[in-house]
């Protein structure tokens, strides 16, 4: 059974940074593109980033472009989302999941998501 687990939740001030991690339980991430989605209070899920299985393709939604960096370390079976210059509007529960579209763009929809983790809370507030 595919299980993904996010970690790295936290409360940070605007302008701060946080790194989220996505780990797999009992399976390897190598064959999968991995996506990150978030859901802010009162809003729909938003696809914000993805990385292809080899790491050659990366996608960022406009609200996070230039601030977030997605990476993966297949040797450690991990995917990361480095979030810099965080803004209050980044406050959300963040989810990682397999990306059935293979991170081929032009955007990342919730419908592209395979199994996702339970999510990790990110709060940006002064």
């Amino acid at each position: 059974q595919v299980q993904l687990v996010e970690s790295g939740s936290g409360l940070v001030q605007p302008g701060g940074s946080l790194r989220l991690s996505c780990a797999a339980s009992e399976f390897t991430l190598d064959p999968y593109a991995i996506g990150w989605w978030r859901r802010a209070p009162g809003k729909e899920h938003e696809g914000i980033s993805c990385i292809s299985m080899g790491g050659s393709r990366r996608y960022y939604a406009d609200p996070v472009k230039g601030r977030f960096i997605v990476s993966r370390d297949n040797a450690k079976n991990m995917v990361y989302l480095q979030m810099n210059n965080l803004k209050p509007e980044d406050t959300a529960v963040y989810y990682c999941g397999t990306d059935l579209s293979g991170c081929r763009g032009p955007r990342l929809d919730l419908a592209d998501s395979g199994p996702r983790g339970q999510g990790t809370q990110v709060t940006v507030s002064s």
Side-chain angles (χ1 to χ4, degrees), residues 1-6 22-25 27 29 34-35 96-98 114-119:
Q1 183 178 359
V2 175
Q3 288 186 326
L4 297 167
V5 180
E6 305 91 346
C22 176
S25 173
F27 77 101
L29 293 175
I34 301 297
C96 67
T98 57
R116 296 191 302 275
Q118 294 297 308

Side-chain angles (χ1 to χ4, degrees), residues 76-104:
K76 295 183 178 179
N77 209 32
M78 297 287 289
V79 175
Y80 305 100
L81 186 68
Q82 177 67 41
M83 306 186 296
N84 301 318
N85 190 22
L86 283 161
K87 304 176 181 181
E89 51 263 43
D90 294 318
T91 295
V93 178
Y94 285 71
Y95 305 85
C96 67
T98 57
D99 173 13
L100 303 178
S101 75
C103 198
R104 296 183 185 278

Side-chain angles (χ1 to χ4, degrees), residues 59-72:
Y59 161 82
Y60 301 97
D62 286 345
V64 306
K65 195 173 295 182
R67 299 188 297 122
F68 289 14
I69 302 170
V70 64
S71 62
R72 66 190 302 158

Side-chain angles (χ1 to χ4, degrees), residues 23-38:
S25 173
E26 301 181 5
F27 77 101
T28 61
L29 293 175
D30 291 25
Y32 300 97
I34 301 297
W36 288 92
W37 292 261
R38 67 184 181 185

